[in-house]
Amino acid sequence: KAGVTQTPRYLIKTRGQQVTLSCSPISGHRSVSWYQQTPGQGLQFLFEYFSETQRNKGNFPGRFSGRQFSNSRSEMNVSTLELGDSALYLCASSLYDPNTEAFFGQGTRLTVV
Amino acid sequence: GENVEQHPSTLSVQEGDSAVIKCTYSDSASNYFPWYKQELGKRPQLIIDIRSNVGEKKDQRIAVTLNKTAKHFSLHITETQPEDSAVYFCAARGSGSNFGNEKLTFGTGTRLTIIP
């Protein structure tokens, strides 16, 4: 069974640009969550999608957005990039039941210069 | 919303000794508590989890205890080995009975270093 796949693995962007990250969950998983990881800040929750609907949202500015497709694949978009957006972005997928394991992808490391 | 606090932020123990990491949570509706281990440059991976109908769970050298009344849970690693060195994250998730609490909320992590 294939794991959670995130693309691209690495990305370098310039301030002011926008970026789109992709996450393909494990087959059969309908919940996809996105996290921002920076040194010393742990895993900051961005948003969670379930059956194409945003079910939960963290405390990030509106520049951060996402969506989920009918095949459960998800994308997140960051517009007007800032230097502080440099981070590892992780997605995690799980079954519809919240009390089951969340599996993480390898992450996309975004560097904003 | 849910708030998870984790302590300590760093922990160093001698190889063979035990390590304990503690977390508290705020939402009494939370009923799923996983622990993740993240090695340098790798993705977080689940090492053990506990559900609210259980007070303790053990898997070889790793155990987790849960006190729902006090809203805290702990990770215990016994007979520590060098490969246990990593960052450990606790997390809490609700059942969905309260709208918006299905998300997994993480603690800020504990960097565990095992001294040979």
Side-chain angles (χ1 to χ4, degrees):
Chain A
K1 199 177 200 180
V4 180
T5 304
Q6 290 188 246
T7 56
R9 289 291 310 279
Y10 303 93
L11 209 49
I12 299 175
K13 289 287 187 178
T14 305
R15 271 185 305 174
Q17 287 187 311
Q18 74 156 15
V19 67
T20 298
L21 312 181
S22 180
C23 173
S24 292
I26 291 172
S27 177
H29 285 194
R30 293 166 61 186
S31 169
V32 175
S33 298
W34 288 89
Y35 296 86
Q36 181 194 66
Q37 186 173 34
T38 54
Q41 293 297 315
L43 293 153
Q44 301 292 310
F45 175 78
L46 282 155
F47 25 67
E48 184 222 0
Y49 286 87
F50 180 80
S51 292
E52 302 179 66
T53 301
Q54 187 181 84
R55 189 163 63 174
N56 290 281
K57 190 176 189 308
N59 298 322
F60 278 79
R63 301 185 296 107
F64 292 80
S65 63
R67 59 178 174 169
Q68 186 180 33
F69 302 94
S70 58
N71 62 358
S72 293
R73 188 178 71 87
S74 178
E75 289 182 346
M76 68 163 281
N77 184 278
V78 188
S79 62
T80 319
L81 284 166
E82 301 176 359
L83 295 179
D85 296 334
S86 295
L88 179 67
Y89 290 88
L90 291 160
C91 82
S93 77
S94 59
L95 292 169
Y96 62 90
D97 182 347
N99 292 336
T100 55
E101 179 179 356
F103 293 83
F104 281 87
Q106 290 277 39
T108 293
R109 183 160 299 280
L110 171 65
T111 302
V112 182
V113 298
Chain B
E2 175 68 276
N3 181 48
V4 178
E5 294 190 356
Q6 182 172 349
H7 300 281
S9 57
T10 60
L11 179 61
S12 295
V13 299
Q14 289 290 139
E15 182 178 353
D17 287 350
S18 296
V20 180
I21 303 170
K22 299 181 179 182
C23 289
T24 60
Y25 61 98
S26 60
D27 188 349
S28 57
S30 290
N31 57 6
Y32 176 63
F33 307 92
W35 286 86
Y36 283 81
K37 175 183 180 182
Q38 187 176 30
E39 297 178 49
L40 190 63
K42 296 189 177 181
R43 73 187 81 190
Q45 292 196 296
L46 181 76
I47 54 171
I48 195 167
D49 57 11
I50 191 167
R51 291 166 176 78
S52 61
N53 58 343
V54 176
E56 183 174 358
K57 183 177 179 180
K58 190 173 181 180
D59 183 4
Q60 299 183 336
R61 298 186 296 109
I62 295 173
V64 58
T65 58
L66 170 65
N67 183 327
K68 285 221 75 179
T69 303
K71 291 191 281 188
H72 66 70
F73 56 113
S74 301
L75 177 72
H76 304 253
I77 306 175
T78 58
E79 300 172 15
T80 53
Q81 300 169 3
E83 53 264 37
D84 294 331
S85 293
V87 178
Y88 291 81
F89 292 96
C90 64
R93 174 189 266 165
S95 63
S97 55
N98 294 339
F99 178 73
N101 76 343
E102 306 94 339
K103 67 182 182 184
L104 204 53
T105 301
F106 284 84
T108 49
T110 296
R111 182 173 298 280
L112 174 64
T113 302
I114 306 302
I115 305 167

